[in-house]
Amino acid sequence: MVMLEPVTGDPAQLRQAYGCFPSGVTALCALDGEEPVGIAASSFTCVSLDPGRVLVCLQNSSTTWPRLRSTPRLGVSVLAEHHNDACRALSLKTGDRFARVEWSASAGGAVFVHDAVAWLECEVADEVPAGDHTIALLAVHALRTEPDRKPLVFHGSRFQRLVAV
């Protein structure tokens, strides 16, 4: 029998449990006027093939998400294993998040991190409140993939690399 602990309300308890599940890391970015804005997000998953939908979970306390949600197009870059520094930069609370991040923008204003594993040009289709986060459902309009590149993986509260077994 598996003996479980009751959830205590301590965020560290849940963070430890959630950290047991590895996830990819994405950059969600767009132009706000002429300025690139973006965030790193590991709570990302594919939802539907027809129509193409993905979701990302964003903290309600984010000051960046309100700027991103109002843009016509969002760029989702699935970060590659060499993007540790770019991910950390996009996670900064203050300062220029794009100072050391190579990027380019689409005609629609989606911003993409160079040398990623995949890029998706999306728009916000819906938002669902979910506790201290918001689930953003994104409609995928265009994409490009580099399947031979290895993704950046977040597991156990740190970046990891995939290893074939």
Side-chain angles (χ1 to χ4, degrees):
M1 172 185 270
V2 176
M3 301 299 291
L4 302 177
E5 301 172 21
V7 175
T8 64
D10 178 4
Q13 180 191 33
L14 287 171
R15 188 174 291 115
Q16 182 180 24
Y18 296 166
C20 291
F21 183 75
S23 63
V25 184
T26 61
L28 185 64
C29 309
L31 290 177
D32 183 9
E34 298 293 316
E35 179 186 9
V37 293
I39 53 178
S42 60
S43 296
F44 169 86
T45 194
C46 307
V47 175
S48 172
L49 295 174
D50 186 19
R53 297 286 187 268
V54 296
L55 70 75
V56 63
C57 299
L58 305 137
Q59 289 183 344
N60 293 337
S61 61
S62 171
T63 57
T64 306
W65 176 238
R67 294 178 68 189
L68 287 170
R69 82 159 52 97
S70 64
T71 62
R73 288 288 193 260
L74 297 169
V76 177
S77 301
V78 178
L79 299 181
E81 65 182 2
H82 67 276
H83 281 128
N84 300 33
D85 291 339
C87 183
R88 290 185 203 294
L90 290 167
S91 299
L92 293 173
K93 297 291 184 201
T94 60
D96 182 357
R97 293 179 181 176
F98 288 86
R100 297 184 331 262
V101 176
E102 292 185 46
W103 61 275
S104 56
S106 71
V111 169
F112 300 104
V113 176
H114 289 186
D115 300 323
V117 174
W119 302 268
L120 307 170
E121 187 173 55
C122 303
E123 73 175 314
V124 177
D126 200 6
E127 292 181 77
V128 179
D132 59 1
H133 279 65
T134 295
I135 300 169
L137 184 64
L138 307 177
V140 180
H141 292 284
L143 59 85
R144 179 178 167 187
T145 64
E146 294 291 341
D148 291 334
R149 290 187 185 143
K150 295 191 185 299
L152 183 62
V153 176
F154 193 69
H155 178 253
S157 298
R158 63 185 189 269
F159 297 122
Q160 306 279 350
R161 293 176 186 239
L162 289 179
V163 177
V165 291

PDB file of all heavy atoms in Angstrom, residues 98-122:
ATOM      1  N   PHE A  98      15.688  40.601 -22.722  1.00  0.00           N
ATOM      2  CA  PHE A  98      16.170  40.214 -24.053  1.00  0.00           C
ATOM      3  C   PHE A  98      17.593  40.673 -24.331  1.00  0.00           C
ATOM      4  O   PHE A  98      18.082  40.509 -25.443  1.00  0.00           O
ATOM      5  CB  PHE A  98      15.215  40.760 -25.128  1.00  0.00           C
ATOM      6  CG  PHE A  98      13.905  40.035 -25.147  1.00  0.00           C
ATOM      7  CD1 PHE A  98      12.872  40.421 -24.322  1.00  0.00           C
ATOM      8  CD2 PHE A  98      13.725  38.943 -25.975  1.00  0.00           C
ATOM      9  CE1 PHE A  98      11.659  39.752 -24.324  1.00  0.00           C
ATOM     10  CE2 PHE A  98      12.515  38.250 -25.985  1.00  0.00           C
ATOM     11  CZ  PHE A  98      11.477  38.658 -25.149  1.00  0.00           C
ATOM     12  N   ALA A  99      18.296  41.213 -23.340  1.00  0.00           N
ATOM     13  CA  ALA A  99      19.642  41.753 -23.540  1.00  0.00           C
ATOM     14  C   ALA A  99      20.604  40.693 -24.092  1.00  0.00           C
ATOM     15  O   ALA A  99      21.435  40.997 -24.937  1.00  0.00           O
ATOM     16  CB  ALA A  99      20.187  42.334 -22.239  1.00  0.00           C
ATOM     17  N   ARG A 100      20.490  39.449 -23.619  1.00  0.00           N
ATOM     18  CA  ARG A 100      21.405  38.388 -24.056  1.00  0.00           C
ATOM     19  C   ARG A 100      20.676  37.269 -24.791  1.00  0.00           C
ATOM     20  O   ARG A 100      21.191  36.163 -24.903  1.00  0.00           O
ATOM     21  CB  ARG A 100      22.150  37.826 -22.849  1.00  0.00           C
ATOM     22  CG  ARG A 100      23.033  38.854 -22.154  1.00  0.00           C
ATOM     23  CD  ARG A 100      23.857  38.269 -21.014  1.00  0.00           C
ATOM     24  NE  ARG A 100      23.283  37.131 -20.323  1.00  0.00           N
ATOM     25  CZ  ARG A 100      22.616  37.179 -19.162  1.00  0.00           C
ATOM     26  NH1 ARG A 100      22.422  38.328 -18.566  1.00  0.00           N
ATOM     27  NH2 ARG A 100      22.159  36.080 -18.606  1.00  0.00           N
ATOM     28  N   VAL A 101      19.488  37.565 -25.298  1.00  0.00           N
ATOM     29  CA  VAL A 101      18.696  36.556 -25.993  1.00  0.00           C
ATOM     30  C   VAL A 101      18.597  36.940 -27.468  1.00  0.00           C
ATOM     31  O   VAL A 101      18.158  38.037 -27.799  1.00  0.00           O
ATOM     32  CB  VAL A 101      17.275  36.452 -25.388  1.00  0.00           C
ATOM     33  CG1 VAL A 101      16.424  35.463 -26.167  1.00  0.00           C
ATOM     34  CG2 VAL A 101      17.352  36.055 -23.911  1.00  0.00           C
ATOM     35  N   GLU A 102      19.032  36.035 -28.338  1.00  0.00           N
ATOM     36  CA  GLU A 102      18.899  36.291 -29.775  1.00  0.00           C
ATOM     37  C   GLU A 102      17.474  35.952 -30.191  1.00  0.00           C
ATOM     38  O   GLU A 102      16.978  34.863 -29.888  1.00  0.00           O
ATOM     39  CB  GLU A 102      19.898  35.444 -30.552  1.00  0.00           C
ATOM     40  CG  GLU A 102      21.339  35.850 -30.324  1.00  0.00           C
ATOM     41  CD  GLU A 102      22.288  35.062 -31.200  1.00  0.00           C
ATOM     42  OE1 GLU A 102      21.995  34.920 -32.405  1.00  0.00           O
ATOM     43  OE2 GLU A 102      23.288  34.575 -30.666  1.00  0.00           O
ATOM     44  N   TRP A 103      16.837  36.887 -30.881  1.00  0.00           N
ATOM     45  CA  TRP A 103      15.444  36.707 -31.243  1.00  0.00           C
ATOM     46  C   TRP A 103      15.133  37.412 -32.551  1.00  0.00           C
ATOM     47  O   TRP A 103      15.894  38.245 -33.027  1.00  0.00           O
ATOM     48  CB  TRP A 103      14.532  37.256 -30.136  1.00  0.00           C
ATOM     49  CG  TRP A 103      14.712  38.728 -29.873  1.00  0.00           C
ATOM     50  CD1 TRP A 103      15.639  39.303 -29.052  1.00  0.00           C
ATOM     51  CD2 TRP A 103      13.958  39.807 -30.447  1.00  0.00           C
ATOM     52  NE1 TRP A 103      15.519  40.675 -29.077  1.00  0.00           N
ATOM     53  CE2 TRP A 103      14.489  41.005 -29.926  1.00  0.00           C
ATOM     54  CE3 TRP A 103      12.904  39.871 -31.355  1.00  0.00           C
ATOM     55  CZ2 TRP A 103      13.987  42.254 -30.282  1.00  0.00           C
ATOM     56  CZ3 TRP A 103      12.404  41.121 -31.712  1.00  0.00           C
ATOM     57  CH2 TRP A 103      12.943  42.284 -31.165  1.00  0.00           C
ATOM     58  N   SER A 104      13.991  37.050 -33.111  1.00  0.00           N
ATOM     59  CA  SER A 104      13.459  37.764 -34.264  1.00  0.00           C
ATOM     60  C   SER A 104      11.941  37.734 -34.152  1.00  0.00           C
ATOM     61  O   SER A 104      11.372  36.924 -33.420  1.00  0.00           O
ATOM     62  CB  SER A 104      13.938  37.143 -35.580  1.00  0.00           C
ATOM     63  OG  SER A 104      13.596  35.787 -35.639  1.00  0.00           O
ATOM     64  N   ALA A 105      11.297  38.648 -34.882  1.00  0.00           N
ATOM     65  CA  ALA A 105       9.842  38.779 -34.812  1.00  0.00           C
ATOM     66  C   ALA A 105       9.218  38.457 -36.168  1.00  0.00           C
ATOM     67  O   ALA A 105       9.809  38.721 -37.216  1.00  0.00           O
ATOM     68  CB  ALA A 105       9.463  40.185 -34.383  1.00  0.00           C
ATOM     69  N   SER A 106       8.027  37.904 -36.126  1.00  0.00           N
ATOM     70  CA  SER A 106       7.259  37.649 -37.344  1.00  0.00           C
ATOM     71  C   SER A 106       6.544  38.935 -37.754  1.00  0.00           C
ATOM     72  O   SER A 106       6.485  39.899 -36.989  1.00  0.00           O
ATOM     73  CB  SER A 106       6.224  36.540 -37.106  1.00  0.00           C
ATOM     74  OG  SER A 106       5.183  37.020 -36.269  1.00  0.00           O
ATOM     75  N   ALA A 107       5.983  38.929 -38.937  1.00  0.00           N
ATOM     76  CA  ALA A 107       5.226  40.084 -39.420  1.00  0.00           C
ATOM     77  C   ALA A 107       4.045  40.391 -38.502  1.00  0.00           C
ATOM     78  O   ALA A 107       3.647  41.544 -38.359  1.00  0.00           O
ATOM     79  CB  ALA A 107       4.742  39.844 -40.849  1.00  0.00           C
ATOM     80  N   GLY A 108       3.498  39.356 -37.846  1.00  0.00           N
ATOM     81  CA  GLY A 108       2.366  39.546 -36.948  1.00  0.00           C
ATOM     82  C   GLY A 108       2.744  39.956 -35.542  1.00  0.00           C
ATOM     83  O   GLY A 108       1.877  40.151 -34.697  1.00  0.00           O
ATOM     84  N   GLY A 109       4.055  40.070 -35.257  1.00  0.00           N
ATOM     85  CA  GLY A 109       4.496  40.522 -33.939  1.00  0.00           C
ATOM     86  C   GLY A 109       4.853  39.424 -32.961  1.00  0.00           C
ATOM     87  O   GLY A 109       5.198  39.710 -31.818  1.00  0.00           O
ATOM     88  N   ALA A 110       4.801  38.160 -33.387  1.00  0.00           N
ATOM     89  CA  ALA A 110       5.260  37.079 -32.521  1.00  0.00           C
ATOM     90  C   ALA A 110       6.784  37.128 -32.456  1.00  0.00           C
ATOM     91  O   ALA A 110       7.451  37.377 -33.462  1.00  0.00           O
ATOM     92  CB  ALA A 110       4.808  35.725 -33.066  1.00  0.00           C
ATOM     93  N   VAL A 111       7.341  36.919 -31.288  1.00  0.00           N
ATOM     94  CA  VAL A 111       8.794  36.943 -31.093  1.00  0.00           C
ATOM     95  C   VAL A 111       9.270  35.516 -30.831  1.00  0.00           C
ATOM     96  O   VAL A 111       8.676  34.791 -30.028  1.00  0.00           O
ATOM     97  CB  VAL A 111       9.183  37.880 -29.927  1.00  0.00           C
ATOM     98  CG1 VAL A 111      10.645  37.708 -29.547  1.00  0.00           C
ATOM     99  CG2 VAL A 111       8.888  39.329 -30.304  1.00  0.00           C
ATOM    100  N   PHE A 112      10.352  35.140 -31.533  1.00  0.00           N
ATOM    101  CA  PHE A 112      10.887  33.790 -31.437  1.00  0.00           C
ATOM    102  C   PHE A 112      12.354  33.822 -31.017  1.00  0.00           C
ATOM    103  O   PHE A 112      13.134  34.625 -31.525  1.00  0.00           O
ATOM    104  CB  PHE A 112      10.773  33.072 -32.786  1.00  0.00           C
ATOM    105  CG  PHE A 112       9.355  32.958 -33.255  1.00  0.00           C
ATOM    106  CD1 PHE A 112       8.877  33.775 -34.260  1.00  0.00           C
ATOM    107  CD2 PHE A 112       8.489  32.047 -32.672  1.00  0.00           C
ATOM    108  CE1 PHE A 112       7.562  33.685 -34.693  1.00  0.00           C
ATOM    109  CE2 PHE A 112       7.171  31.943 -33.091  1.00  0.00           C
ATOM    110  CZ  PHE A 112       6.709  32.764 -34.110  1.00  0.00           C
ATOM    111  N   VAL A 113      12.725  32.926 -30.102  1.00  0.00           N
ATOM    112  CA  VAL A 113      14.108  32.762 -29.657  1.00  0.00           C
ATOM    113  C   VAL A 113      14.837  31.943 -30.721  1.00  0.00           C
ATOM    114  O   VAL A 113      14.347  30.896 -31.156  1.00  0.00           O
ATOM    115  CB  VAL A 113      14.166  32.059 -28.288  1.00  0.00           C
ATOM    116  CG1 VAL A 113      15.610  31.795 -27.872  1.00  0.00           C
ATOM    117  CG2 VAL A 113      13.434  32.888 -27.232  1.00  0.00           C
ATOM    118  N   HIS A 114      16.003  32.426 -31.149  1.00  0.00           N
ATOM    119  CA  HIS A 114      16.790  31.729 -32.166  1.00  0.00           C
ATOM    120  C   HIS A 114      17.242  30.357 -31.668  1.00  0.00           C
ATOM    121  O   HIS A 114      17.483  30.162 -30.481  1.00  0.00           O
ATOM    122  CB  HIS A 114      18.021  32.544 -32.551  1.00  0.00           C
ATOM    123  CG  HIS A 114      17.695  33.771 -33.338  1.00  0.00           C
ATOM    124  ND1 HIS A 114      18.662  34.572 -33.882  1.00  0.00           N
ATOM    125  CD2 HIS A 114      16.516  34.353 -33.688  1.00  0.00           C
ATOM    126  CE1 HIS A 114      18.102  35.576 -34.524  1.00  0.00           C
ATOM    127  NE2 HIS A 114      16.793  35.471 -34.409  1.00  0.00           N
ATOM    128  N   ASP A 115      17.407  29.437 -32.609  1.00  0.00           N
ATOM    129  CA  ASP A 115      17.963  28.104 -32.370  1.00  0.00           C
ATOM    130  C   ASP A 115      17.142  27.257 -31.405  1.00  0.00           C
ATOM    131  O   ASP A 115      17.686  26.408 -30.693  1.00  0.00           O
ATOM    132  CB  ASP A 115      19.413  28.192 -31.871  1.00  0.00           C
ATOM    133  CG  ASP A 115      20.325  28.884 -32.870  1.00  0.00           C
ATOM    134  OD1 ASP A 115      20.133  28.673 -34.084  1.00  0.00           O
ATOM    135  OD2 ASP A 115      21.204  29.640 -32.438  1.00  0.00           O
ATOM    136  N   ALA A 116      15.836  27.464 -31.384  1.00  0.00           N
ATOM    137  CA  ALA A 116      14.952  26.647 -30.547  1.00  0.00           C
ATOM    138  C   ALA A 116      14.700  25.300 -31.219  1.00  0.00           C
ATOM    139  O   ALA A 116      15.136  25.052 -32.350  1.00  0.00           O
ATOM    140  CB  ALA A 116      13.641  27.383 -30.292  1.00  0.00           C
ATOM    141  N   VAL A 117      13.980  24.441 -30.546  1.00  0.00           N
ATOM    142  CA  VAL A 117      13.606  23.129 -31.063  1.00  0.00           C
ATOM    143  C   VAL A 117      12.367  23.250 -31.954  1.00  0.00           C
ATOM    144  O   VAL A 117      12.249  22.564 -32.955  1.00  0.00           O
ATOM    145  CB  VAL A 117      13.338  22.156 -29.895  1.00  0.00           C
ATOM    146  CG1 VAL A 117      12.798  20.831 -30.376  1.00  0.00           C
ATOM    147  CG2 VAL A 117      14.610  21.949 -29.081  1.00  0.00           C
ATOM    148  N   ALA A 118      11.456  24.134 -31.561  1.00  0.00           N
ATOM    149  CA  ALA A 118      10.239  24.368 -32.333  1.00  0.00           C
ATOM    150  C   ALA A 118       9.737  25.778 -32.049  1.00  0.00           C
ATOM    151  O   ALA A 118      10.044  26.357 -31.003  1.00  0.00           O
ATOM    152  CB  ALA A 118       9.160  23.343 -31.975  1.00  0.00           C
ATOM    153  N   TRP A 119       9.012  26.300 -33.024  1.00  0.00           N
ATOM    154  CA  TRP A 119       8.405  27.630 -32.889  1.00  0.00           C
ATOM    155  C   TRP A 119       6.951  27.521 -33.309  1.00  0.00           C
ATOM    156  O   TRP A 119       6.636  26.904 -34.339  1.00  0.00           O
ATOM    157  CB  TRP A 119       9.095  28.652 -33.790  1.00  0.00           C
ATOM    158  CG  TRP A 119      10.558  28.807 -33.542  1.00  0.00           C
ATOM    159  CD1 TRP A 119      11.167  29.703 -32.701  1.00  0.00           C
ATOM    160  CD2 TRP A 119      11.624  28.089 -34.162  1.00  0.00           C
ATOM    161  NE1 TRP A 119      12.530  29.564 -32.758  1.00  0.00           N
ATOM    162  CE2 TRP A 119      12.844  28.566 -33.653  1.00  0.00           C
ATOM    163  CE3 TRP A 119      11.667  27.052 -35.108  1.00  0.00           C
ATOM    164  CZ2 TRP A 119      14.071  28.083 -34.051  1.00  0.00           C
ATOM    165  CZ3 TRP A 119      12.899  26.550 -35.495  1.00  0.00           C
ATOM    166  CH2 TRP A 119      14.081  27.069 -34.968  1.00  0.00           C
ATOM    167  N   LEU A 120       6.072  28.120 -32.536  1.00  0.00           N
ATOM    168  CA  LEU A 120       4.645  28.150 -32.845  1.00  0.00           C
ATOM    169  C   LEU A 120       4.178  29.600 -32.814  1.00  0.00           C
ATOM    170  O   LEU A 120       4.439  30.307 -31.843  1.00  0.00           O
ATOM    171  CB  LEU A 120       3.842  27.357 -31.810  1.00  0.00           C
ATOM    172  CG  LEU A 120       4.280  25.922 -31.530  1.00  0.00           C
ATOM    173  CD1 LEU A 120       3.535  25.374 -30.326  1.00  0.00           C
ATOM    174  CD2 LEU A 120       4.037  25.048 -32.747  1.00  0.00           C
ATOM    175  N   GLU A 121       3.510  30.027 -33.871  1.00  0.00           N
ATOM    176  CA  GLU A 121       2.892  31.357 -33.863  1.00  0.00           C
ATOM    177  C   GLU A 121       1.433  31.167 -33.485  1.00  0.00           C
ATOM    178  O   GLU A 121       0.705  30.418 -34.159  1.00  0.00           O
ATOM    179  CB  GLU A 121       3.022  32.047 -35.210  1.00  0.00           C
ATOM    180  CG  GLU A 121       2.525  33.486 -35.139  1.00  0.00           C
ATOM    181  CD  GLU A 121       2.786  34.260 -36.419  1.00  0.00           C
ATOM    182  OE1 GLU A 121       2.350  33.779 -37.484  1.00  0.00           O
ATOM    183  OE2 GLU A 121       3.413  35.320 -36.330  1.00  0.00           O
ATOM    184  N   CYS A 122       1.024  31.799 -32.395  1.00  0.00           N
ATOM    185  CA  CYS A 122      -0.283  31.534 -31.795  1.00  0.00           C
ATOM    186  C   CYS A 122      -1.041  32.828 -31.507  1.00  0.00           C
ATOM    187  O   CYS A 122      -0.479  33.921 -31.544  1.00  0.00           O
ATOM    188  CB  CYS A 122      -0.096  30.808 -30.462  1.00  0.00           C
ATOM    189  SG  CYS A 122       0.812  29.257 -30.555  1.00  0.00           S
TER     190      CYS A 122
END
